[in-house]
Amino acid sequence: MDLLKSLAANFGVPLTYLADADSEESLDDVEAHQFFRDFKSLSEDEQAVLKQTLDLFKKKRTQGDGGA
């Protein structure tokens, strides 16, 4: 169990993600949660820069320049 705790901490995922084979949480969900945790740790100025960048990507996509 200690190994699982260490791995979970290292990869920034909840212990249940590694221990629960029937988990419905996908790797994309885990990455999104990790991104959000990282985002929350940034300063307000750094968060503002990321928000502006996201707005630029969304604007490009609606203009048809960014594609998916």
Side-chain angles (χ1 to χ4, degrees):
M1 190 58 125
D2 289 335
L3 176 60
L4 282 179
K5 288 179 183 177
S6 295
L7 288 170
N10 184 56
F11 290 108
V13 298
L15 180 60
T16 55
Y17 178 78
L18 297 176
D20 185 7
D22 296 329
S23 176
E24 293 183 21
E25 187 171 31
S26 71
L27 183 57
D28 288 341
D29 293 336
V30 171
E31 289 175 346
H33 289 141
Q34 180 62 46
F35 182 86
F36 184 68
R37 284 192 298 271
D38 291 343
F39 178 81
K40 289 190 326 184
S41 71
L42 299 174
S43 71
E44 287 184 21
D45 289 340
E46 292 166 329
Q47 288 181 10
V49 169
L50 277 180
K51 287 176 185 177
Q52 290 172 346
T53 303
L54 179 61
D55 288 341
L56 282 172
F57 283 126
K58 288 170 28 179
K59 184 177 179 181
K60 284 179 75 172
R61 180 171 287 172
T62 59
Q63 292 174 348
D65 295 337

